[in-house]
Every structure is written in C-alpha cells, then in structure tokens.
Amino acid sequence: MTTAIDVRNLTRRFGSFTAVESISFDVRQGEVFGFLGANGAGKTTAIKMLIGLLAPSSGQASVAGFDVSTNPDDVRRHIGYMSQRFSLYEDLTVRENITLYGGIYGLTDSEIRDRGDALIGTLQLGRSSDERVESLPLGWKQKLAFSVAMLHEPAVVFLDEPTGGVDPITRRQFWEMIYTVAERGTTVFVTTHYLDEAEYCDRISIMVDGRIAAMGAPAEVKQRFGAATLDEVFLGLVRPAGVQTPQSA
Amino acid sequence: MRLRVLRFLLRKEFLQIVRDRTLLGMLFIMPVIQLLVLANAVTFEVKSARMYIIDKDHSSMSRGVATRLAASGRFVPTESSPSMAEGDEAILDRRVDLIVVIPEGFEREIVRDHRAPLQLVFNAEDGAAAAVMQTYANAIVMNYAGELGAEVSPSVVTKLSVGDGGAPARGHPVMELRRRGWYNSELDYREYMVPGILVVLVTMIGTLLTAMNIVREKEAGTLDQLNVTPINRSTFIAAKLIPLWTFAMIDLSIGLVVARFVFHVPVLGSLVLVFFAATIYLVGALGIGLWISTVAETQQQAMFVTFSLLMVYLLMSGLFTPIRGMPVWAQWTTEINPIAHFVALMRAVLLKGARTRDVASHLAALAAISSVVLSIAIRQYHKRSA
C-alpha cells in the first residue's frame, strides 16, 4: 500500500501560541481517515497546512507524493477539498459550477460534459441542473460540493466537517458517497464532530490541544482506552480526568 | 497564465456581475445619477451676485459698465449711492457681494488716455466665490473696454476675508488680474467639473468594486476553495481585473455620452486618447482595489479603507482646489497621485483638445504609477498565508 499522506513533526505557531504541535501520522492510499478533535484543537490549522492554504512553521508533510512546502501547486492538482462552509458559487447554476471547477482543473470540454452528466445523474439533480445553487436544500448542496471536489478525480480528498447541519438520511447518503470514492482508490481525509461517523472510518486520530492524543482503528482505540464507545474515549481525552493524556494542560 | 482556465474564470465573473442587480445598479444607474447631481451641485458657479454701484462719473460709459455687468446675468444691481461709506456698510452687512466703484472722470480719461481705473470690492468670506466673481467681472469689464478701444485696469479689493477685521481699505489695488478664460470661454464650471467627476466615477467603480468583489469571496469561503485549486496567481488576478476594467470603461463611455449630450461639455480632443489614458489609469485604480482586498477581511473594512484612501487622493488631486494653491509639499504629492494626473489629462484633452504629445508627461506618470501599484498588489496577493 502506498502512502497518500505523510506527516512528520508538523508544527504551526501563531506568535507565541502553538496551534499544531509536532504531529506525525500517515494515511494509506484508499483509506478513510477520520481526523477528530474538539473545536480549537488545531484540526483546521492542520488541514490548512496539508492543502496548502497555510505555511507550516516547521516539520514536513507530503500529500499525494508531493511536499506541501516545496511543491504546493503539485499538491493542489492532486487533491480535492470541501470546507465546512459551503463554498460553491451560490449565484451560479449547478451546471455552471461544475463547468467552472472542471475548467479550473484542466478537464477537456467533453470530460466536463460527461462527468457533469454522470454527477447530475447520480445526485438526481437533473431537474435542478439549471437552477442556481442557492435554491438547493443544504443536504443537496453538500453532496454537490463533494461531487464537485471529486470532479478531477483527485488522489486525496479533504473533507472538513462535511456533514455539519445536515439530516441523518443525508449524512448516511454522504457516507455512502465517501465509501464509493474510497473503493475507487481515493484517499479520504475527513474531520467530523459526530463520533458515530468516526466509527465508519478505517482509522481515526484524536487531536487535543494541538497534539495527536490517540490514533488507530476505532476498535483499537476503544480497546486501548478501555472504553465502550468513541464518545467515552473522546470525553476522557478532551476533559482529562483520570484518563492519561500526553498533555494535561 | 493559462488562457483556457482564464476563459472559465472570466465567464464565471461576468455571469456573477450580470446576475447581481445591486451591482448592476451601481454600475449603470449610479454613474448617470451621480454625474447629473454632482455636476449641478459641485460648482463654483456664481449667478446673480448682488452688486452695489458707486457711480461718481455719471457718464454714458460709466453707466455702460454697470449695464454690461448686469446684462451678463451674473450680477444684479441691488443698491447704489455715491457714498463709499454706505457701500462698505452694505458689504459688511452682507446685503451685497461686491461694490463697483467708477471714479469721477472715468469717461474723460478713456477718451483722452484710452485707459481709466476702476475699483471692484468683493466680499471674500467665501474665497472661491469671490475669485469667481472677480474673474467674471474682470472679463466683462475688459470686454467692454475692448469695445471702447480703451484699457481699463480694475483694481480689486477684498473685504471680510479671513483675518480681515473689516476695516475698509479703499483705493488700494491688492492685485491686478488679467486673466482670460482661453479654453472655457464661457467660464462654465460644469464644463470644468464634469471631466473631473468622470474620473471620480471610474475610480470608484474600479477601486471599490475590485476590493469588494475579492473580499466578498473571502467572506463566502469561495476564495479558499479557489486557493486550493492549481489556478496560478496571475490567472486569478487577470480574471478578477478584466471584467471590472471592462465595466469601468463602459461606465466611462456612458459618462462621456452624458457629459457631451446633457452638459454639452466639448470633446475637443481625441476620444481614442481619452480611452487609452483611461486604460492605463484603471490598471492602477484596480490595482489599489486589489491591494485593499489583500488587507481587508470583510466588505465593511474594504469599503472603509477604500473611502479613506480615495478621500485623500481626491482632495489632493486638484479636482476641487487648484494644485497651484497647495503648499509646496502637497504639490509634490500630486506627482504620485494618479487621480491628479488623470483629472489634468481629461480636462486638457476634452476642453483644450490636447494631443498625445501635450499630455505625454501625464501618460508617462500614469503608466509608472499603475505598474508600481499593480506589482505591489500582485506581490501582496498570496494563495497561502505565511
């Protein structure tokens, strides 16, 4: 198995505050990797470094085989990204958004048309394809954003809280989409607040105060912490009372 | 820069602008309204200034002076007496705006010597208005003198100017003006202001909309989404600047049409030259907008920074006040003020019919300023925060 994401002692400081402190992990190709942590634990900062929006203070990271510090544009060509805020263009139609991102990633006109048709078919957006995205319900928007992020068939896709605020049925469909792309070999790096979703991941890591406090397959992590659910693990780590943590602030 | 990617981005930008009704209103209706309102309100025009006549000569020529002034429509004789003291009182009471003193022997001296003195006393509380009244009065008197084949040298006295306690200083030529309005013979201030207001409009459109447009994408999170794509910096910037540049040029065209056909502003020079200069100027104006978008995080901030900057630029541009009236250090700053160069160029080309070589120094300055501003802005723009 090849390594899709390789992170070594990655650190990011903002002045005297260390948002991400020397984290190391790797993610295999085709793996669904859950990146968990409380708000402010440093998840978003870590993701921003991996997708080239933020320069690391120290340490190395490579994504899809390219170093994020030295070859950020090669990284960008091989990743997809969907942020927690819906970030397609609300004032463009479904089709126009697809065409725009297809064009940006250098797809040919026929690729844009064919993949766009397939995408609209899968999402059953046929009737809405010429409507502005702002008129779609949130769940549809999120599924569309994910599909658009996959349009150029990236090696790695980063999903930052993709299911925030959507209903359980849509969440379920969303995870089916995630599995589909993972089966096709795309590495999925996903952050979430829903610990039941974390159970769907091949492996997870839990970030606490800028460090990775636990990592492994969900069952492994539960076993190591002697907990019945990931909820317990998470609460124990985030509010360190009795459970040992690498960093008790 | 990849042209194919640029094409997709341009299509997106144009679609977004065309679908934004508020923006379209700003782009197409506001310029016309602003031009109509500003051009009529922002004026140093003096109409119906109240005039006190002190005619000590009682000749046909002395009456001729008063009649000519009144006939111009600029001045209305409201009071008269032979007494200077009463005239002074009238001006101190602000019942009149100026006093015309025609001394005894006026006609006789014109016939004999072909020259005669004449005194104009102005209320200079509003310095700009006094200067305008003076220019008009001077022009009318000179004109009349010309008809008589004589030379009349009006001496000018200002009253109530700042620091002046109001003590009458009569018979005391403060200055002798011999100005003629060469290129704006009617001294129509709208003609003078409209080219300047056109500059303000394209500047606002160029700078403000550029800043707002990019910051809006920052706020919406779509900028981050674009920044994780492999688009390169120059493609992104070109895609942002080309549409807004196009719309600013369309605005300039609308403005020129309104100026020409509503205000009858002469277009003596080449329109090609006007648009060529605007092309260069707008690169700088848009560059400033781009720079603002790199420092502002919200649209409010962008708007605030834009207005603060433009306010300073405008006030120091010579649009509202003559550059030669500024302190020396301020005159120097106008050399690096793109608005000052473009206002001067627009006035020269539209009102005087200046040709490329007449305004070459302005064009060169604009080109230099624009390239510096744009390169600073591009350097400042980063896909990745440090």
Side-chain angles (χ1 to χ4, degrees):
Chain A
M1 276 278 185
T2 43
T3 304
I5 304 174
D6 185 13
V7 177
R8 291 286 160 255
N9 304 317
L10 194 65
T11 300
R12 173 69 205 200
R13 282 180 288 272
F14 295 100
S16 60
F17 171 68
T18 307
V20 173
E21 193 169 345
S22 194
I23 59 170
S24 301
F25 60 89
D26 48 21
V27 181
R28 290 184 307 275
Q29 194 207 326
E31 196 173 19
V32 178
F33 188 81
F35 199 58
L36 315 183
N39 289 328
K43 280 177 306 179
T44 302
T45 307
I47 284 206
K48 281 191 167 176
M49 286 190 279
L50 295 181
I51 62 177
L53 285 182
L54 194 65
S57 304
S58 65
Q60 286 94 45
S62 77
V63 174
F66 300 101
D67 190 290
V68 295
S69 299
T70 54
N71 295 326
D73 272 320
D74 286 318
V75 172
R76 290 184 184 112
R77 251 185 289 281
H78 293 91
I79 61 168
Y81 170 61
M82 178 191 165
S83 76
Q84 48 192 333
R85 293 150 85 194
F86 175 74
S87 46
L88 293 180
Y89 290 96
E90 302 254 2
D91 47 358
L92 298 183
T93 68
V94 173
R95 184 64 86 167
E96 284 162 355
N97 270 293
I98 293 170
T99 308
L100 172 65
Y101 281 101
I104 287 175
Y105 282 105
L107 304 190
T108 64
D109 287 336
S110 62
E111 279 172 332
I112 292 173
R113 196 182 50 242
D114 296 345
R115 293 187 198 180
D117 286 342
L119 186 164
I120 287 169
T122 313
L123 293 180
Q124 297 172 309
L125 276 171
R127 270 182 300 167
S128 311
S129 66
D130 289 324
E131 278 175 31
R132 291 193 200 171
V133 164
E134 64 198 351
S135 64
L136 297 179
L138 182 66
W140 289 98
K141 283 184 187 174
Q142 297 296 80
K143 285 191 276 184
L144 177 64
F146 177 57
S147 307
V148 170
M150 292 301 303
L151 203 63
H152 57 294
E153 298 174 349
V156 183
V157 64
F158 291 86
L159 308 173
D160 194 2
E161 285 169 31
T163 53
V166 304
D167 62 75
I169 298 168
T170 312
R171 267 170 64 191
R172 182 79 196 211
Q173 293 169 339
F174 204 93
W175 275 91
E176 279 162 16
M177 292 171 72
I178 289 177
Y179 280 133
T180 309
V181 302
E183 273 161 30
R184 276 195 246 129
T186 302
T187 307
V188 180
F189 187 95
V190 58
T191 74
T192 180
H193 276 311
Y194 300 104
L195 291 169
D196 57 321
E197 288 187 350
E199 301 270 6
Y200 305 149
C201 298
D202 296 324
R203 275 194 313 145
I204 58 166
S205 79
I206 302 180
M207 247 184 125
V208 179
D209 293 335
R211 290 165 178 270
I212 291 178
M215 187 155 56
E220 228 173 271
V221 170
K222 279 185 284 191
Q223 194 186 8
R224 196 181 318 147
F225 286 85
T229 62
L230 282 176
D231 252 55
E232 278 178 39
V233 176
F234 192 81
L235 289 174
L237 285 172
V238 172
R239 286 197 242 115
V243 186
Q244 46 156 26
T245 57
Q247 188 199 17
S248 308
Chain B
M1 188 181 319
R2 264 173 274 124
L3 284 177
R4 186 174 149 83
V5 174
L6 180 63
R7 208 187 72 206
F8 283 99
L9 285 170
L10 283 176
R11 181 154 166 264
K12 164 225 165 215
E13 295 293 340
F14 276 108
L15 280 173
Q16 285 187 304
I17 292 173
V18 168
R19 285 181 189 164
D20 188 337
R21 280 166 191 274
T22 322
L23 189 63
L24 281 186
M26 261 174 93
L27 280 172
F28 294 112
I29 299 165
M30 227 176 60
V32 178
I33 292 176
Q34 252 181 358
L35 203 55
L36 293 177
V37 172
L38 278 179
N40 281 301
V42 183
T43 168
F44 302 120
E45 187 92 281
V46 170
K47 280 182 181 146
S48 325
R50 294 158 304 171
M51 173 169 68
Y52 195 106
I53 310 261
I54 300 177
D55 183 355
K56 292 179 177 164
D57 196 45
H58 297 290
S59 59
S60 69
M61 284 185 192
S62 72
R63 276 188 297 273
V65 172
T67 316
R68 291 305 173 99
L69 286 168
S72 71
R74 308 283 178 192
F75 303 97
V76 182
T78 51
E79 291 178 53
S80 69
S81 84
S83 156
M84 193 63 215
E86 282 178 33
D88 275 339
E89 202 156 304
I91 214 167
L92 287 172
D93 287 353
R94 297 174 177 81
R95 295 201 309 271
V96 297
D97 303 301
L98 80 157
I99 309 173
V100 181
V101 187
I102 306 159
E104 212 178 322
F106 181 77
E107 187 175 80
R108 195 179 58 232
E109 283 184 43
I110 287 181
V111 172
R112 198 184 57 206
D113 302 335
H114 298 291
R115 58 188 305 145
L118 178 77
Q119 194 182 34
L120 301 170
V121 182
F122 293 97
N123 175 353
E125 275 173 312
D126 180 346
V132 174
M133 284 191 287
Q134 187 181 318
T135 310
Y136 282 137
N138 218 55
I140 294 163
V141 170
M142 292 289 198
N143 201 5
Y144 182 52
E147 279 174 40
L148 296 174
E151 191 184 329
V152 176
S153 32
S155 62
V156 173
V157 177
T158 53
K159 289 281 172 74
L160 298 173
S161 55
V162 181
D164 183 341
R170 74 180 61 100
H172 210 48
V174 172
M175 58 172 129
E176 185 173 323
L177 263 186
R178 283 171 182 281
R179 210 167 84 189
R180 268 186 66 189
W182 275 93
Y183 297 108
N184 186 354
S185 51
E186 308 285 309
L187 283 170
D188 183 338
Y189 270 82
R190 273 195 304 216
E191 286 189 7
Y192 183 67
M193 288 311 291
V194 166
I197 291 167
L198 281 175
V199 172
V200 177
L201 281 175
V202 294
T203 309
M204 289 298 287
I205 297 292
T207 305
L208 185 63
L209 293 191
T210 304
M212 298 284 277
N213 183 297
I214 299 174
V215 173
R216 197 175 67 159
E217 290 223 29
K218 256 192 203 178
E219 282 184 335
T222 49
L223 191 63
D224 270 354
Q225 191 72 48
L226 285 182
N227 284 343
V228 299
T229 70
I231 314 177
N232 60 32
R233 198 158 69 161
S234 51
T235 311
F236 171 82
I237 290 171
K240 281 295 179 194
L241 299 193
I242 290 170
L244 294 166
W245 177 87
T246 309
F247 281 100
M249 290 300 254
I250 294 175
D251 261 7
L252 177 63
S253 317
I254 297 175
L256 280 168
V257 169
V258 174
R260 179 74 191 87
F261 295 103
V262 179
F263 295 114
H264 308 290
V265 171
V267 180
L268 299 180
S270 144
L271 280 176
V272 176
L273 180 54
V274 167
F275 280 95
F276 176 65
T279 300
I280 299 174
Y281 171 73
L282 277 170
V283 170
L286 272 71
I288 294 174
L290 177 66
W291 177 80
I292 292 170
S293 78
T294 62
V295 295
E297 289 301 322
T298 64
Q299 293 189 66
Q300 278 101 323
Q301 283 176 10
M303 201 169 331
F304 184 76
V305 176
T306 307
F307 278 112
S308 313
L309 263 179
L310 287 189
M311 199 65 81
V312 176
Y313 273 122
L314 281 176
L315 288 176
M316 311 260 310
S317 70
L319 176 58
F320 302 111
T321 49
I323 289 174
R324 265 168 296 176
M326 293 180 187
V328 178
W329 64 266
Q331 294 195 23
W332 276 103
T333 64
T334 61
E335 292 297 324
I336 53 162
N337 183 340
I339 299 182
H341 286 288
F342 195 39
V343 167
L345 182 145
M346 286 282 275
R347 281 177 180 159
V349 176
L350 293 178
L351 305 181
K352 292 200 290 194
R355 284 159 303 174
T356 311
R357 85 176 113 92
D358 304 320
V359 293
S361 65
H362 292 306
L363 285 174
L366 285 176
I369 295 167
S370 290
S371 33
V372 169
V373 166
L374 189 66
S375 17
I376 291 176
I378 291 177
R379 286 177 81 96
Q380 184 85 22
Y381 175 80
H382 289 290
K383 288 174 78 171
R384 185 168 75 169
S385 15

